[in-house]
Amino acid sequence: VGFVGKLANDVLAELDIHKDIRSSQNIFLGEIEYSVLKSLIPESFSYSAIPEFESVSRDIALLADEEILCGEIIAAVKKACRYVSEAELFDLYRGDQIAEGKKSMAFKVTFTPEDSAFTQEDVNGFVSDIVSALGTEFGIEQR
């Protein structure tokens, strides 16, 4: 596809760079054959631009039936709010403080804005929408 390498010292010496600066520099060069690189990228490959506005994360603790899978919850969270860029389980608890047949699951949910920064009210609304959707679909409650 291409190559990358450090510029040889003898070539660097021939450049019009001040000696004090030249001696401490490592200059690297590279060349990529775009047509070859492009042929290796699958057609289904996509990317998202780096967001202009800062993402906001919230922890959401849920009480769910034992048989509900983590992946089902994550899919439902993402479906409930288009601004969810990531949802990750970080705590799972089963024990005396939880009813039999239930489990407590805590998720870190990250919201990424598209057009403007989110206010606290925006994020609170997103969390409310998510909890409502999970309640409707799975009978899940917020802890």
Side-chain angles (χ1 to χ4, degrees):
V1 173
F3 70 90
V4 174
K6 182 181 178 294
L7 187 63
N9 289 335
D10 57 332
V11 175
L12 181 61
E14 294 179 22
L15 296 177
D16 187 20
I17 299 175
H18 192 276
K19 286 185 180 186
D20 292 340
I21 296 171
R22 184 180 340 132
S23 64
S24 65
Q25 286 193 353
N26 289 317
I27 298 177
F28 290 84
L29 301 172
E31 184 175 308
I32 295 175
E33 196 68 41
Y34 180 74
S35 59
V36 175
L37 177 64
K38 186 177 177 187
S39 72
L40 298 173
I41 298 173
E43 286 185 32
S44 62
F45 180 79
S46 66
Y47 72 96
S48 298
I50 296 172
E52 181 179 346
F53 303 99
E54 188 173 347
S55 296
V56 178
S57 294
R58 281 282 176 84
D59 294 343
I60 305 174
L62 304 170
L63 187 61
D65 290 338
E66 190 65 53
E67 66 271 359
I68 299 172
L69 301 175
C70 178
E72 293 174 313
I73 295 172
I74 289 174
V77 166
K78 290 180 177 180
K79 182 179 172 186
C81 178
R82 71 184 187 122
Y83 296 110
V84 173
S85 57
E86 193 173 332
E88 180 181 4
L89 178 71
F90 71 87
D91 187 45
L92 174 64
Y93 176 77
R94 297 174 176 102
D96 297 338
Q97 298 173 340
I98 305 295
E100 190 171 326
K102 300 277 187 179
K103 59 187 173 185
S104 174
M105 304 173 79
F107 292 86
K108 177 182 178 184
V109 180
T110 304
F111 303 95
T112 303
E114 295 171 355
D115 301 326
S116 62
F118 292 140
T119 64
Q120 287 291 77
E121 292 78 24
D122 292 334
V123 177
N124 291 341
F126 300 153
V127 170
S128 179
D129 291 346
I130 289 169
V131 171
S132 177
L134 292 174
T136 301
E137 188 169 346
F138 299 109
I140 291 174
E141 300 172 11
Q142 188 174 11
R143 282 197 75 204

